[in-house]
Amino acid sequence: MSDTERLDRAYHYVQKFIIEHGFAPHFVDVAHEFGLKPEEGKALVHELLQTGIPCWAYPDTDYIASFAPFNSQPTQCRVTVAGETRWFAQCGFEALAITWMFPKRTVQIDAPCLDCGEALRVEILDGELQNEDPAGICAFVDIPFQEWRSHPLA
Amino acid sequence: MNLFRSEEHARRWSGYRVEAEGGLTPLRDMLYIFSAETFTERMGGHYIRDMAGFRQDLMARIQEIKGDDPFWSVPR
């Protein structure tokens, strides 16, 4: 198996794990999945996190903190699918992309306005905006696009 | 990368910077950008192998929504 194929399988496993559980797997979970020793699973996780995808470990640990579009640590962007509030989005923008992780299911995003604290709700089905409450919600990022990679939480 | 009640609320936010005015985007437009292959193909099975090729679709969508806004310019 090539390195890329191995990383693709690991990537797919982590995403599926988060979809099922709502949080990222530990490296031992990754090791079990691929028949590796724990240290080899840890190395695979770090290798995956260094591919340039918008994902990272909590600083100075081996815990997957964020794996776009999801976040393993709580954020202000809560995600509900089929009545289950189980996931957190990496940020307000990636919250919109979570629709692609749950095809044929309505994804509900609840996030407060960071200015006034008012509850915002967005519902999306297969990339189509179903509901926006209140109307007129906007997205804002203060980091220019070309710097996003160096500011993952812009 | 946050959601706000409106553009006025975003401009009032403590983290707002006037130099980043280009970072304001209506929700529907941001959903369109985040519907590029970079985001839709994550469960395709070969995301790592193929991700460089997804960038073109993302760039095209940004160009369509943001035009030549330097805030959204792409490094060459």
Side-chain angles (χ1 to χ4, degrees), chain A residues 24-105:
Chain A
H26 187 266
F27 67 74
V28 172
D29 297 312
V30 175
H32 282 160
E33 175 69 15
F34 294 101
L36 303 171
K37 295 175 182 172
E39 285 298 314
E40 294 171 331
K42 180 164 66 177
L44 179 55
V45 165
H46 283 285
E47 193 179 344
L48 184 59
L49 296 177
Q50 289 165 9
T51 54
I53 53 177
C55 308
W56 57 88
Y58 187 85
D60 301 322
T61 75
D62 305 305
Y63 302 131
I64 298 172
S66 193
F67 207 86
F70 301 106
N71 226 65
S72 209
Q73 291 182 302
T75 68
Q76 79 275 25
C77 300
R78 293 173 172 82
V79 175
T80 302
V81 179
E84 272 198 83
T85 307
R86 190 188 299 180
W87 304 268
F88 292 98
Q90 186 181 75
C91 65
F93 292 12
E94 285 284 5
L96 307 177
I98 288 181
T99 181
W100 305 113
M101 311 304 280
F102 296 96
K104 297 183 171 48
R105 300 169 83 181

Side-chain angles (χ1 to χ4, degrees), chain A residues 4 7-8 11-12 15-16 19 48 51 53-54 68-69 76 91-94 96-97 100-101 111-116 118 120 122 124 127-129 132 134-146 148 154, chain B residues 1-10 12-17 20-28 30-31 34-36 39-40 42-51 55 58-59 62 70-75:
Chain A
T4 302
L7 288 168
D8 261 330
Y11 177 88
H12 200 73
Q15 293 288 24
K16 281 183 65 177
I19 288 169
L48 184 59
T51 54
I53 53 177
Q76 79 275 25
C91 65
F93 292 12
E94 285 284 5
L96 307 177
W100 305 113
M101 311 304 280
C113 170
L114 294 187
D115 170 57
C116 67
E118 182 178 340
L120 310 177
V122 176
I124 306 170
E128 294 293 327
L129 188 60
E132 174 188 6
I137 293 172
C138 84
F140 176 66
V141 58
D142 66 342
I143 303 294
F145 177 69
Q146 59 184 285
W148 282 15
Chain B
M1 299 178 177
N2 294 301
L3 302 178
F4 290 87
R5 168 71 184 81
S6 68
E7 291 193 358
E8 288 68 33
H9 284 246
R12 276 200 321 238
W13 180 46
S14 59
Y16 177 77
R17 295 183 302 117
E21 177 72 12
L24 283 169
T25 309
L27 180 70
R28 199 174 287 276
M30 191 53 72
L31 175 58
F34 273 71
S35 297
F39 310 100
T40 62
R42 280 176 166 150
M43 297 305 287
H46 299 288
Y47 191 75
I48 301 294
R49 184 191 72 185
D50 298 340
M51 63 181 176
R55 196 167 169 80
L58 175 61
M59 297 301 101
I62 289 175
F71 192 86
W72 293 87
S73 67
V74 181

